[in-house]
Each structure stands twice: as C-alpha cells, then as structure tokens.
Amino acid sequence: MGTTLVTNIGTLATGEIGAPVLTDTSVLIEDGVITAVGADAPGAGLVIDAAGQTVIPGLIDGHVHPTVGEWTPAQNSTGWVRNYLHGGTTSMVSAGELHIPGLPFEELTPRLVVGLARLARRTIGAYRPSGVKVHAGTLLLVPGLTEHDFDELAEDAIHQLKFIFYDWTRLDSGEPEQYLRWAHERGMTVKMHSGGVSRSGSSRVAGHELVTAVAPDVVAHISGGPIPMPDDEIVGVIDDLPDATVEVCSSMNYRATKVTVDRLTEINALDRLTLGTDTPGGTGVIPRGMLRNLCYLSSVCGLAPEVAVAAGTGNVARRHAIPGGIIAPGQPGDLLVMGPVTGSRATTALEAIQLGDLPGISVVLVDGEPLVSGRSEQTPPPSTGATVHHR
C-alpha cells in the first residue's frame, strides 16, 4: 500500500470522545495504518494537501441493512454503497440482512437465520463493495438457537447479533439471557430493536419494560426506527441500563432524538451515543445520512461538532468492537478531508456542522488510498479543495 501523508490540515477531530480538536497538523499512514499524527514524511509516495481543510475519521454507519452486493430490494436500487462512500461513510455495521424478498418473518427458524448470517458474512461481508468495509452477517435471534450455533458463528467471525423478530411471550423462559451470556463469552455484540414496529410490520413493539428486561449492549434507534417509545421510557432506558449504548438513526423521530441527547448530556454519558442511518429501507437510500446526523446533533441538539463526530465514528467502532473510528497510531487510515461549501458562513467543516450546514467532501481515504478525490459526487464541493500528489 505504501506511504500516504495528509498534510496542511487546518483542523482535525480525532473521533475519540473528549479529545481536543487539533490544528495545523498532519497524518501519516503506512501500509494502510496510521503511524503518526503531527509528523512529516518527505519520502511519502502519496501526499494529500488538505489545503487547510478539516480532517475527521471515516464515518461508520452503525445500522445498515445490506442484501446482495450493492443492490437493495427495499428500494430496488443498485450502487447504494458507492453513494454512501461519497457521503463520507467508510465502514458499515449490518443490523440484519432482513430485506431478502420472501423472507418469512413469522416463520424464522434457527437453521434459516444461522444460514442467512453465514451467507451474508461470506458474500457482502467478505469483500468491500466500492471499497467500503461492510461488517455483514448479523444473526437475527430467534427461539431455539443452541450454544453450538454460537460456536459456529464465532468460527465464521460473526460478532453482531440482533433481537427484532424474537417471540417475547418467551421472555420469562431465560433464553434471551442465555443468548446474551453465550454472546458475551464469544466477544459478540447484541443489538435490540426498540420502539414501535419496523417497516416489515413483523417486529415486536419494544418499550422500557421489555428493553430493560433484555438489557442488550446496543438499544437500536432509541429515538425511532421510525416510531420511538414514549419520552419517559427513553429516559428510563438510558438511566436504567447504564452499560448500554443508545443508537440514533437518520430515520428518527427528531424530537425524540433531542430528548435522547439532552438526557445523555445531563448525565455526562455521551460516550454511550452511537449513530447509524437504518437504511436502505422505507426511509430510502440516504448517502448523506451520516453527515446529516452530525449536523442535527450539533446544530439542533447543541453538541460540540467534534463530539457529534465521535458519536458517528469512535463510539460506533468501540461499541461494535470493530477497527477504525479514531485518528491515532495503529488505527486504519480511513479519513475524510472536507470543508465548508461556498456560501456557508463557516470557515471550517466543524463550524459548518455546528451551523447545520452540509460540509463538502474533497477526499475520502480508506486504508490510506484515496477512493474519492477531487470532489464527492454526493456533496457540493468545498470552497477550497484538497489536492492529491503522487511522487
């Protein structure tokens, strides 16, 4: 892969919650991995001159629904992953490959869901569509799974599990708690659908009583997917599950999102906030969904822009136990170079996010390789663009 130097960075948000914004710095990437921040490399084979723009980690969409390659039957669209790349998303975490036409939601068997997860892991999860890292092969938890199933999943490097179609009349059977124990013993992350029913119409309503009884690692789209639980139940889940991450998605109820963020801010728990789009689905294909999340959190909910960035990068990676999301030595060289669009009052991309203005992307790096350069196809160009030099 060689050596890539991103230089002349005006501002840099590391993606780590609580870390300060850096200024006038650089990032060195060797063989796809960040090796230094603030260093020079005269012999770098590839130099990205950021031209004073802002650099942040590549965005990690913590809630997507992939199906086959870059085709989504939910919108009968192709090429959606490439469009998300141009919107700044360099990694994705599947919340279940459940949009396969004809999937019998009411008759999901252990054999079917295990086979579906293994197929997804070995197809879309085994290659990078348009260069994006898709962590696919998420097991949909149903009654009747065995510990042997969990062993097989671990052998296939499947680490994401989700409650969405589980029969909650079996809540008192002890099976959900057993699933969580088996998952945690194997380093797996358990996500749970919350709120009202999803687009499929087959998911179960999950409010405070049910979510706290299960105690998942991640409470999916707590502010609506698309319908949230009542406000007092949102606050109750946040307070009563102090170890759980709460996720906000683009297909949210915007008012409920503010309730969520306000409570996390009050109790100093913004490290528990993660972001996703919950797309493709009924909300559509939204290439700029993650950027819009950042703008909403900062401009309406009042978060510092670097905190909003961390919610969509480092927080997601840490909670889902995947690489990336932080600009630091040892992390993948997945970066965005971006700046304010001409006409914005902002002078940096972070200021643009705080104003609610969409920033313009000029370069997207994945493992130090510029997969998008010149300008993004999904954002207006920044007022000052970065340049790419091969030596």
Side-chain angles (χ1 to χ4, degrees), residues 206-358:
H208 173 270
E209 182 178 4
L210 185 55
V211 173
T212 54
V214 177
D217 302 311
V218 181
V219 181
H221 44 59
I222 193 171
S223 60
I227 306 302
M229 64 186 84
D231 292 0
D232 61 331
E233 295 192 25
I234 291 175
V235 173
V237 167
I238 292 171
D239 290 352
D240 295 341
L241 294 179
D243 295 328
T245 292
V246 293
E247 176 189 81
V248 165
C249 292
S250 301
S251 55
M252 59 182 122
N253 174 311
Y254 292 95
R255 182 197 51 75
T257 293
K258 194 169 188 308
V259 170
T260 300
V261 175
D262 285 350
R263 185 55 182 164
L264 290 171
T265 302
E266 288 171 1
I267 63 174
N268 193 29
L270 288 167
D271 60 321
R272 294 169 54 196
L273 177 64
T274 62
L275 304 181
T277 61
D278 194 8
T279 61
T283 307
V285 173
I286 313 178
R288 302 191 299 210
M290 287 296 290
L291 287 175
R292 287 299 184 192
N293 278 338
L294 304 189
C295 290
Y296 181 78
L297 290 181
S298 189
S299 66
V300 177
C301 298
L303 298 188
E306 64 271 20
V307 174
V309 167
T313 56
N315 285 7
V316 183
R318 183 180 66 254
R319 176 69 273 184
H320 291 278
I322 61 174
I326 296 176
I327 300 176
Q331 293 290 335
D334 304 342
L335 308 176
L336 305 185
V337 183
M338 58 187 189
V341 173
T342 299
S344 171
R345 293 182 289 127
T347 59
T348 71
L350 293 181
E351 287 182 6
I353 290 170
Q354 194 161 31
L355 289 170
D357 290 347
L358 184 77

